[in-house]
Amino acid sequence: RGLICDIDNTLATYEQPDPPEDVVRWCAAMREAGIRISFVSNNDEARVSRFNQNFGYPAYPDSRKPLTASLHRAMKAMGTDVTNTAVLGDQLLTDGLSAARLGVRFIMVPPINDKKNLFFKAKRALEAPLMKKFFQDNDIDPSREGTYDWT
């Protein structure tokens, strides 16, 4: 019933201030299917507000994921709970960890256009062994469509 979405590198690149048309269509399809959406981002108010301006979804900037306060607020605003909410994101150590701490399903997508600075390289390096183990434990080929190379 509810989907808490990260924005940056999940739905749009950092450089895209407005949602791409395919995201607008996808959000409309989610609404038609009865799935409520909220945005929870670690980015600032200006970024999140601009991205959300034509949607009007509950939106929480500066959320400090993996802390869960903003995710709790998003579920309350959507009228959902841990039994019928999922988190969509591209980072295991922020989006995924916040979902795990909250006790909801995590849907991980490959980043649209990963940043190459030292901070993001370090985070991806920390995620790599965890993702490799997950793929092995679940007999998933990491080269299949929908995944990307975590090595």
Side-chain angles (χ1 to χ4, degrees):
R1 289 190 48 225
L3 186 60
I4 299 171
C5 298
D6 176 51
I7 296 173
D8 295 313
N9 252 349
T10 298
L11 299 177
T13 67
Y14 285 91
E15 297 77 25
Q16 291 175 290
D18 300 309
E21 275 305 311
D22 60 337
V23 170
V24 172
R25 287 190 301 274
W26 176 78
C27 286
M30 293 290 105
R31 184 176 51 251
E32 289 173 20
I35 298 171
R36 295 182 179 127
I37 292 177
S38 63
F39 297 130
V40 174
S41 174
N42 284 349
N43 212 325
D44 62 34
E45 174 74 34
R47 163 62 167 158
V48 174
S49 292
R50 173 139 181 201
F51 191 86
N52 190 38
Q53 69 185 353
N54 291 323
F55 293 119
Y57 294 144
Y60 305 93
D62 302 311
S63 65
R64 299 174 40 202
K65 291 178 286 185
L67 299 179
T68 60
S70 293
L71 283 79
H72 281 285
R73 291 173 53 209
M75 285 192 306
K76 184 175 182 179
M78 293 187 297
T80 63
D81 59 41
V82 296
T83 67
N84 55 17
T85 305
V87 171
L88 175 72
D90 71 301
Q91 293 187 55
L92 189 61
L93 298 177
T94 55
D95 307 311
L97 186 54
S98 63
R101 294 180 73 216
L102 191 63
V104 301
R105 182 174 300 254
F106 176 51
I107 303 165
M108 186 170 187
V109 297
I112 296 170
N113 185 17
D114 219 4
K115 286 188 172 184
K116 303 298 181 203
N117 64 36
L118 185 59
F119 177 71
F120 277 87
K121 285 182 180 181
K123 281 190 359 178
R124 295 300 183 196
L126 288 171
E127 291 175 343
L130 300 171
M131 292 305 300
K132 184 176 181 179
K133 180 168 178 20
F134 173 80
F135 288 147
Q136 288 172 343
D137 290 352
N138 292 283
D139 198 28
I140 298 172
D141 177 1
S143 66
R144 78 174 198 202
E145 185 176 344
T147 62
Y148 76 102
D149 184 5
W150 286 87
T151 58

